[in-house]
Amino acid sequence: MPSDIYGQPSNRYEMFLPIMFAETRLKSQYAGGFKLHITVATEQAEPLARVILPVLERIHHKVVLPGGHYARLNEGNERGKFITIYPGPAAPSQHVLDAIDPLLLQLRAQGIRPGPVPTTRQSNHAEAEIRVGHSGLVRTYWAENYRTT
């Protein structure tokens, strides 16, 4: 197990196989709500993570681990879902978006590009998630139950 995940202490996370992602030990207080996905070009995932993960320190999220796992994820139905955030209903979700979108806009100005557009499981991956914010790097959809979607 790595000692850090994009500069964040690995003891804050649980590791999962075979997708190879890390999810915070801190879980959402909400059973469901909005899911926010940050999508980024595969080769630019690490610099984005090093900026965004510290902001998400106290927010339930998961991130694809380094080592080529995001490139493999982008070959399937879960493409574009580099960081998944579980903020809950509208107000907390907006608060998270307000915290990360200005940083993502700065990254865009530095050349960071969006990755594949995530699609929803509810549509059997036929419909794109809704773009939110101004950076072009965040997509969302409503999940009735965080545990099953």
Side-chain angles (χ1 to χ4, degrees), residues 30-42:
Y30 305 102
F34 287 99
K35 273 190 176 182
L36 299 175
H37 285 118
I38 299 177
T39 182
V40 62
T42 304

Side-chain angles (χ1 to χ4, degrees), residues 46-136:
E46 184 167 343
L48 181 140
R50 289 187 177 278
V51 170
I52 294 301
L53 291 181
V55 178
L56 299 176
E57 179 181 3
R58 293 188 172 96
I59 300 166
H60 182 193
H61 66 277
K62 68 182 179 184
V63 60
V64 178
L65 292 169
H69 301 292
Y70 185 51
R72 285 192 293 281
L73 184 81
N74 284 337
E75 295 171 1
N77 287 337
E78 299 300 310
R79 66 188 165 273
K81 298 177 182 180
F82 177 57
I83 299 174
T84 302
I85 308 165
Y86 303 92
S93 296
Q94 187 63 53
H95 180 72
V96 170
L97 183 62
D98 291 346
I100 63 173
D101 205 43
L103 297 171
L104 294 170
L105 276 169
Q106 289 176 3
L107 290 171
R108 285 298 304 269
Q110 296 168 15
I112 298 289
R113 298 180 321 278
V117 174
T119 56
T120 66
R121 287 184 188 159
Q122 292 93 331
S123 71
N124 199 26
H125 300 283
E127 295 178 13
E129 293 181 3
I130 299 165
R131 180 180 165 176
V132 292
H134 301 287
S135 67

Side-chain angles (χ1 to χ4, degrees), residues 5 10 12-16 19-24 61-65 84:
I5 299 168
S10 62
R12 292 184 187 156
Y13 293 89
E14 300 174 79
M15 308 300 166
F16 291 89
I19 298 172
M20 294 304 296
F21 67 89
E23 184 173 356
T24 55
H61 66 277
K62 68 182 179 184
V63 60
V64 178
L65 292 169
T84 302

